[in-house]
Amino acid sequence: MLSVLAHRTYRRLFAAQVIALTGTGLATVALGLLAYDLAGARAGSVLGTALAIKMVAYVGIAPLIGAFAGRLPRRALMAGSDLLRAGVALGLPFVDQVWQVYVLIFVLQAASAAFTPTFQAVIPDVLPEERDYTRALSLSRLAYDLESLFSPALAAALLAFMSYDRLFLGTVGGFLASAVLVVSVALPRPAPPAGSAGGGYARAIAGSRLFFTVPRLRALLWLNLAVAAPGAMVTVNTVVYARDRLGRGTGDVALALGAYGAGSMAVALLLPRVLDRVPERAVMLGGALALPPVFAALVAITTGAGGGWRWPALLATWTAFGAACSAVLTPTGRLVRRAAPPEDRAPAFAAQFSLSHACWLLTYPLAGWLGAVAGLRSAAVALGAVATVAALAALRLWPPAGPEPEEAADGTRRVRVLSG
């Protein structure tokens, strides 16, 4: 897998991604402490609102950026997004009102909604060979998983020597370093946008239209929802399970989150070789169809009254969730790359970014509010039902290998034969 890092341009872009992710992880820890300083016991509601604002920014901004990304210098767009994010992070330690946090978070996440889909659309051009691109996707998945484990540990170590507001300086440094790495490489020119006669609005919906006309991308919409269900359950309710339901210590919260990351990383490491021999359809649908029985196990753990078995069972369940989600998420870029012609890649990746986060905008409140009002068992049952329906819908919509019609951004029809 690491052989792909021999490519100089990709190596620097990957380093930019890793450094920026680390900075973002430090900001996540610092933001929670800032919310507590500003709101005290209401810190949870502040963070929940900030998370909703993040998803709204992702859903609303990404398609607009994707509409014009093909006409803008990609290196300047990504570096400018990094500089804007650095500026916002620099201002966060000085806020003294909750509404200021909300405004800055929206700007920060709007910049991320510009950077991430553009970055995702660049990589297929930098690594045109599918074998190399597959390994890059696995490395990207590993980077996200390692960030979720490494950044909190780094933040804990730094907080032993400094106040939490200094963590934002680490975020600023991460984004600045990312910008430097981005401008240090020459990026391939994107294919000229097709169908420009419709203007910006037509470009904005071109990527989304692919997701409603290409069968495998329609299935991907449901797969996004399938993985958002366990992801939201883990993100929102791990602390509730560990601390309240099972009476574990604070360190066990990190251990449980680490189990989810470990499952995801294990599959991400295996997938490059697996995908050389097994079609994406089998891998991704297999991951999605594994989610309902894992949710059934979670319901059993939630319902169980006492017993030392529940803690190791929860760790195993979180590990299984991470593995199944990674099987779905890691090959996603290959599907989008194959379904969209080069001139439509930017809006296609922007649409995937936006539509996938719209699923999280649904499952985050469902996991949090239903868990708080009706209990963890009801939340597990509801999100398990969401994952089951989504997995079955994806199975029905994704045809086996064979020709399938696709619609270009200009409305013309074509047929492409792809492996399952």
Side-chain angles (χ1 to χ4, degrees), residues 131-208:
R131 182 182 179 89
D132 290 337
Y133 182 55
T134 300
R135 280 147 181 76
L137 291 176
S138 291
L139 279 177
S140 181
R141 183 76 249 156
L142 284 172
Y144 280 104
D145 292 332
L146 286 171
E147 182 275 324
S148 68
L149 298 174
F150 174 72
S151 291
L154 177 61
L158 292 175
L159 287 171
F161 304 99
M162 62 181 67
S163 59
Y164 75 83
D165 56 326
R166 299 291 181 90
L167 295 181
F168 288 117
L169 296 179
T171 302
V172 173
F175 288 139
L176 291 178
S178 174
V180 169
L181 286 166
V182 167
V183 300
S184 72
V185 296
L187 299 179
R189 289 183 176 273
S196 58
Y201 176 76
R203 292 287 295 159
I205 66 172
S208 298

Side-chain angles (χ1 to χ4, degrees), residues 116-140:
T116 304
T118 306
F119 177 89
Q120 291 171 339
V122 163
I123 301 304
D125 294 335
V126 172
L127 300 172
E129 294 294 329
E130 185 167 283
R131 182 182 179 89
D132 290 337
Y133 182 55
T134 300
R135 280 147 181 76
L137 291 176
S138 291
L139 279 177
S140 181

Side-chain angles (χ1 to χ4, degrees), residues 134-135 267 269-280 283:
T134 300
R135 280 147 181 76
V267 170
L269 285 168
L270 292 172
L271 276 185
R273 292 185 179 181
V274 172
L275 289 171
D276 286 342
R277 296 183 289 272
V278 181
E280 293 101 333
V283 172

Side-chain angles (χ1 to χ4, degrees), residues 2-419:
L2 296 179
S3 61
V4 73
L5 294 175
H7 192 292
R8 176 181 178 274
T9 298
Y10 173 71
R11 182 172 66 248
R12 295 198 176 191
L13 291 176
F14 179 69
Q17 179 190 24
V18 170
I19 293 171
L21 282 173
T22 302
T24 301
L26 294 178
T28 300
V29 176
L31 185 61
L33 297 170
L34 174 63
Y36 187 79
D37 267 1
L38 293 177
R42 291 179 48 248
S45 64
V46 172
L47 290 175
T49 303
L51 193 61
I53 289 172
K54 170 183 175 178
M55 294 303 160
V56 169
Y58 281 0
V59 172
I61 300 297
L64 298 177
I65 296 297
F68 299 100
R71 295 185 171 94
L72 299 173
R74 297 189 290 186
R75 187 169 59 174
L77 177 59
M78 290 192 292
S81 299
D82 274 334
L83 293 177
L84 180 57
R85 294 193 290 185
V88 171
L90 191 61
L92 278 169
F94 301 101
V95 304
D96 56 8
Q97 300 291 328
V98 170
W99 68 267
Q100 296 170 349
V101 174
Y102 296 155
V103 171
L104 289 177
I105 288 299
F106 180 82
V107 176
L108 177 69
Q109 302 305 337
S112 295
F115 179 93
T116 304
T118 306
F119 177 89
Q120 291 171 339
V122 163
I123 301 304
D125 294 335
V126 172
L127 300 172
E129 294 294 329
E130 185 167 283
R131 182 182 179 89
D132 290 337
Y133 182 55
T134 300
R135 280 147 181 76
L137 291 176
S138 291
L139 279 177
S140 181
R141 183 76 249 156
L142 284 172
Y144 280 104
D145 292 332
L146 286 171
E147 182 275 324
S148 68
L149 298 174
F150 174 72
S151 291
L154 177 61
L158 292 175
L159 287 171
F161 304 99
M162 62 181 67
S163 59
Y164 75 83
D165 56 326
R166 299 291 181 90
L167 295 181
F168 288 117
L169 296 179
T171 302
V172 173
F175 288 139
L176 291 178
S178 174
V180 169
L181 286 166
V182 167
V183 300
S184 72
V185 296
L187 299 179
R189 289 183 176 273
S196 58
Y201 176 76
R203 292 287 295 159
I205 66 172
S208 298
R209 188 165 57 198
L210 281 172
F211 279 80
F212 292 98
T213 56
V214 180
R216 69 189 58 230
L217 293 188
R218 286 205 301 268
L220 181 56
L221 286 174
W222 288 98
L223 290 172
N224 287 331
L225 180 59
V227 298
M233 195 69 186
V234 170
T235 302
V236 174
N237 287 322
T238 293
V239 66
V240 183
Y241 270 105
R243 299 285 286 149
D244 184 62
R245 181 57 62 97
L246 301 179
R248 310 295 299 190
T250 55
D252 287 332
V253 176
L255 182 60
L257 292 172
Y260 178 86
S264 179
M265 285 189 290
V267 170
L269 285 168
L270 292 172
L271 276 185
R273 292 185 179 181
V274 172
L275 289 171
D276 286 342
R277 296 183 289 272
V278 181
E280 293 101 333
R281 182 179 187 271
V283 172
M284 298 176 73
L285 290 178
L289 292 171
L291 292 173
V294 181
F295 265 108
L298 180 61
V299 171
I301 295 169
T302 310
T303 306
W309 62 272
R310 291 190 300 163
W311 173 242
L314 182 71
L315 293 179
T317 301
W318 262 215
T319 302
F321 272 148
C325 289
S326 185
V328 176
L329 292 172
T330 303
T332 294
R334 286 171 47 130
L335 259 66
V336 178
R337 178 197 191 194
R338 288 180 175 184
E343 65 272 14
D344 292 335
R345 277 184 188 154
F349 276 100
Q352 161 61 12
F353 185 82
S354 174
L355 294 169
S356 64
H357 283 89
C359 297
W360 290 85
L361 191 57
L362 169 67
T363 58
Y364 269 139
L366 190 60
W369 297 343
L370 191 59
V373 173
L376 290 175
R377 183 178 184 277
S378 296
V381 169
L383 287 169
V386 169
T388 301
V389 171
L392 293 176
L395 178 64
R396 181 177 181 275
L397 289 170
W398 193 338
E404 74 178 45
E406 298 179 4
E407 184 173 345
D410 59 3
T412 61
R413 303 288 287 179
R414 57 178 174 263
V415 172
R416 181 180 298 173
V417 179
L418 302 176
S419 65

